[in-house]
Amino acid sequence: MSEASLTISDRIQNQFDDLTRAERQLAHSILENYPASGLGPLSALAKDAKVSVPTVARMVQKLGFNGYPEFQTELREELKAKAKGPIAKHDTWAGGAPSEHILNRFTDAVIDNIRHTLGQIDPDDFDAACAMCADPDHHLYIVGGRITHTLAEYLFLHMQVIRPQITHIQSTSNAWPHYLLDVKEGDVFIIFDMRRYENNTLKLAEMAHAKGAKLILFTDQWRSPVHQLADISLSSRIVAPSAWDSAATPLLLVEAMISAVQNLTWGDTKDRMEALEDMFDQTKLFRKFT
């Protein structure tokens, strides 16, 4: 992927191991409230991060910018991108669309998203998230938003077979606070929140966090505000030549998580699957060809 297509967050993560101690401190400060954190004066960013002004200037150059104004211009463009609705996103793609067939263009975009996302995901974070989901001693809650509820439902359907103590929270319902009544410390929430980020989802995350729940966030490359509360954030690139963002890469991560959790709990999961198949046979829900 070209340098121009990387977000500033991507650039920081790519170079994190090569940063000095002060630069890493600055990087954490930038990412804490990204991308808004870098929109003020250079001196204000240095003060917030408790580093020197020259440290900010050096790191901006390390990230490939000629100076702080260019760095801020890129941040403002990213901020605009976070807020884009479907019509604006369609116009962005349509204006420079190549002549190849949409199947090829869309596939190329998705493959690029997958490669970049897998290059950024920390395998240890992913494994830790799967271990949290596999722990039957803590209740698992899954919640999505207006669009991402489809990913949440898909994950819930599989996890419901894999393990007990699981709840799908209907985030679009006014009754979602009811689900929080029984949340205990150590329970796990899987939250899907991608641009345009939803206020209900953030409020739910805040309330669950306050009760001591662990949060696993599926989000995009710009990261939902929920990431500031999340124990683990799994970010995906979602841009595509469409008025809507692509769910292909988040779905890949979801299916990988299903596979990993299934393997971690296979002894109990196998028993649950056998019991479920027996019920399917009794109800004659599926046609058998044997």
Side-chain angles (χ1 to χ4, degrees):
M1 175 168 292
S2 68
E3 188 75 5
S5 64
L6 298 178
T7 66
I8 289 175
S9 174
D10 293 334
R11 297 187 192 201
I12 290 174
Q13 292 169 15
N14 284 345
Q15 298 190 34
F16 197 83
D17 291 341
D18 298 324
L19 300 179
T20 66
R21 182 198 60 77
E23 288 168 347
R24 290 187 184 190
Q25 185 171 314
L26 173 59
H28 284 303
S29 181
I30 292 172
L31 295 176
E32 185 66 25
N33 188 28
Y34 178 82
S37 51
L39 296 179
L42 186 154
S43 58
L45 178 58
K47 182 178 179 181
D48 289 343
K50 297 181 173 59
V51 299
S52 68
V53 168
T55 296
V56 178
R58 282 195 305 271
M59 182 163 158
V60 164
Q61 290 185 336
K62 278 190 177 182
L63 296 178
F65 298 100
N66 293 324
Y68 194 68
E70 186 176 275
F71 171 81
Q72 286 193 312
T73 297
E74 177 62 25
L75 279 178
R76 291 190 185 96
E77 290 301 314
E78 290 187 26
L79 198 57
K80 289 179 186 177
K82 288 181 72 169
K84 276 186 179 179
I87 294 175
K89 282 183 282 186
H90 178 270
D91 290 345
T92 297
W93 281 101
S99 58
E100 289 87 351
H101 194 281
I102 184 61
L103 282 172
N104 292 326
R105 290 191 288 117
F106 203 97
T107 300
D108 286 344
V110 168
I111 291 173
D112 200 34
N113 286 344
I114 290 173
R115 285 175 177 164
H116 186 77
T117 297
L118 294 182
Q120 295 294 323
I121 291 286
D122 185 335
D124 291 337
D125 282 349
F126 184 82
D127 291 346
C130 293
M132 290 164 63
C133 295
D135 183 0
D137 293 333
H138 296 288
H139 202 100
L140 179 63
Y141 296 85
I142 301 176
V143 59
R146 185 176 71 93
I147 300 296
T148 55
H149 74 90
T150 55
L151 292 168
E153 289 170 5
Y154 185 81
L155 178 59
F156 169 75
L157 179 65
H158 289 81
M159 288 294 182
Q160 196 177 31
V161 177
I162 291 172
R163 53 157 290 167
Q165 294 203 82
I166 181 168
T167 298
H168 178 213
I169 297 178
Q170 302 292 331
S171 64
T172 55
S173 167
N174 290 331
W176 67 255
H178 296 186
Y179 292 102
L180 295 172
L181 286 172
D182 298 321
V183 172
K184 298 179 176 60
E185 185 173 356
D187 286 347
V188 177
F189 277 69
I190 297 179
I191 299 173
F192 292 83
D193 194 29
M194 302 181 190
R195 71 172 183 182
R196 297 173 285 181
Y197 313 115
E198 300 183 33
N199 293 327
N200 270 3
T201 303
L202 177 58
K203 177 55 65 176
L204 183 149
E206 290 171 344
M207 295 172 73
H209 183 264
K211 298 195 74 170
K214 303 295 185 182
L215 308 184
I216 299 169
L217 173 67
F218 282 84
T219 188
D220 53 39
Q221 65 256 45
W222 301 283
R223 300 195 303 177
S224 155
V226 175
H227 88 270
Q228 297 184 43
L229 303 171
D231 295 88
I232 298 173
S233 292
L234 301 174
S235 299
S236 300
R237 285 189 70 88
I238 59 174
V239 292
S242 169
W244 289 273
D245 291 319
S246 170
T249 307
L251 180 59
L252 182 148
L253 296 182
V254 165
E255 291 198 319
M257 173 175 280
I258 291 168
S259 178
V261 175
Q262 169 194 281
N263 290 337
L264 290 170
T265 62
W266 181 243
D268 293 333
T269 296
K270 182 180 179 182
D271 292 340
R272 290 174 64 84
M273 285 182 169
E274 289 173 345
L276 182 62
E277 288 300 319
D278 182 59
M279 286 187 278
F280 284 155
D281 288 345
Q282 292 180 52
T283 60
K284 302 187 184 303
L285 180 63
F286 299 112
R287 181 184 297 273
K288 287 203 169 183
F289 295 95
T290 56

